Amino acid sequence: MKRILVPTDFSEHAEDALKVAAQIAKKNNSEIIILHMLELPHQTNDAILGGISIPESMLFMKKANEMLDKVSEKPYLDGIEVTEIVKMDKPIHGITQISKEHNIDLIVMGSHGSSGVEELLIGSNTEKVVRNSEIPVLVIKNDIANFTAANVVFASDFSEEAKKPFEKLLNFTKLFDSKIHLVNICTPNSFKPTHVAEEAINEFVDQFNISNYTTQTYNDTNIEKGIINFANRINADIIGMCTHGRTGFAHFFNGSISEGLVNHAVRPVITLKI
């Protein structure tokens, strides 16, 4: 994990994400790229400057760069290679483009619980990043002084499509020597006999070289509640969840589940696109 992208709107929650990214970076000698997306007001047909004059746009850019300079001087970033980027673009498009241009391995974003990320990253923008990003997205909900991933939940139906995102999760958990708790959530609408669920998980696990893990089937009224309640039960540090982008996939990979977790779970959530 060489490059971590942290989008910022200079809010408290964005700083919470940056603090966690700094801890991960120090553990793995990673570079952090701090990105501020500058959406100028009064846009017209000009996709870049809109109705803003060039002198005004340069003023906005100058102010944003000054604010990024202050962020980069935070003591918790000492010893980390930090790159600052201000980009005039829509948040989703800009985050995606920068991720590709800089070969980003992980995106870390701050969130405000059920209301989503504030200001430029509010609501549907966060959900779109989670839904569309080919890169794992770690969503942080609060200030975590000592970030750890000792216990990681991976909730899945353990189908063939889940293999690729699980491999990405393994790459992340290797940094922390995590114990992975593989769980199948059984609901009234997605009932499986215990032996069927256990067989699916065991066949899935056999395809990977892992030893520090548990397997569980957990019953609840719906999948989102089941994941949250199971994570609370084992006091998980992170919840891992697949998302299938815009198309949706069976009952488990419905976009609303991963996005709901990002909004409603108190614990950090890492989403991994199929």
Side-chain angles (χ1 to χ4, degrees):
M1 189 172 294
K2 297 304 179 184
R3 296 182 181 88
I4 301 171
L5 177 66
V6 184
T8 184
D9 55 7
F10 306 112
S11 68
E12 177 183 341
H13 309 294
E15 184 168 18
D16 291 341
L18 185 57
K19 289 178 180 178
V20 168
Q23 294 178 62
I24 297 172
K26 288 180 179 178
K27 193 174 186 68
N28 198 50
N29 194 28
S30 305
E31 175 189 359
I32 290 179
I33 296 174
I34 308 175
L35 172 65
H36 177 67
M37 299 305 305
L38 189 59
E39 279 196 294
L40 299 179
H42 312 303
Q43 290 182 341
T44 59
N45 291 331
D46 186 332
I48 298 177
L49 297 182
I52 301 296
S53 68
I54 290 178
E56 285 178 301
S57 67
M58 295 304 292
L59 181 62
F60 280 117
M61 288 287 290
K62 182 176 183 292
K63 182 63 176 177
N65 278 299
E66 288 174 353
M67 293 176 73
L68 272 186
D69 286 342
K70 291 181 180 179
V71 170
S72 297
E73 293 171 357
K74 297 287 185 178
Y76 55 79
L77 292 172
D78 288 349
I80 301 172
E81 181 181 352
V82 176
T83 299
E84 305 169 16
I85 298 177
V86 176
K87 186 173 178 62
M88 290 185 185
D89 206 340
K90 297 290 186 182
I92 307 309
H93 182 265
I95 291 169
T96 301
Q97 186 177 29
I98 293 297
S99 296
K100 291 178 179 178
E101 289 177 357
H102 291 265
N103 296 315
I104 297 299
D105 300 300
L106 177 69
I107 299 172
V108 184
M109 299 176 67
S111 176
H112 187 255
S114 61
S115 64
V117 177
E118 291 185 329
E119 298 176 16
L120 289 183
L121 299 175
I122 195 166
S124 62
N125 284 331
T126 295
E127 295 171 358
K128 288 176 183 177
V129 173
V130 165
R131 189 185 312 135
N132 297 321
S133 176
E134 300 290 341
I135 298 159
V137 181
L138 178 62
V139 181
I140 302 300
K141 300 306 187 70
N142 44 51
D143 188 3
I144 304 175
N146 296 300
F147 178 78
T148 184
N151 288 285
V152 177
V153 169
F154 180 67
S156 176
D157 64 355
F158 303 101
S159 62
E160 186 69 19
E161 276 88 349
K163 288 176 60 178
K164 183 178 178 181
F166 185 65
E167 288 173 352
K168 293 179 181 178
L169 182 68
L170 287 179
N171 290 334
F172 178 83
T173 58
K174 285 176 182 176
L175 298 176
F176 301 92
D177 194 24
S178 309
K179 184 172 186 176
I180 304 175
H181 302 267
L182 300 101
V183 60
N184 178 79
I185 306 299
C186 185
T187 73
N189 292 327
S190 60
F191 176 78
K192 288 181 182 178
T194 299
H195 72 279
V196 173
E198 289 178 346
E199 182 178 356
I201 297 176
N202 290 333
E203 289 180 355
F204 183 87
V205 172
D206 286 344
Q207 301 175 72
F208 300 92
N209 182 26
I210 57 173
S211 57
N212 193 13
Y213 70 94
T214 68
T215 62
Q216 302 277 343
T217 296
Y218 189 86
N219 300 322
D220 215 319
T221 54
N222 64 55
I223 292 170
E224 183 183 320
K225 286 183 179 179
I227 296 171
I228 292 173
N229 289 334
F230 176 75
N232 290 340
R233 179 180 176 182
I234 68 165
N235 195 26
D237 298 299
I238 299 177
I239 297 171
M241 177 71 186
C242 298
T243 180
H244 201 266
R246 298 175 182 173
T247 61
F249 174 70
H251 70 276
F252 200 88
F253 296 112
N254 187 302
S256 63
I257 296 173
S258 57
E259 292 154 21
L261 275 174
V262 164
N263 282 330
H264 303 143
V266 175
R267 303 172 191 276
V269 176
I270 186 167
T271 61
L272 310 121
K273 188 176 179 183
I274 291 175

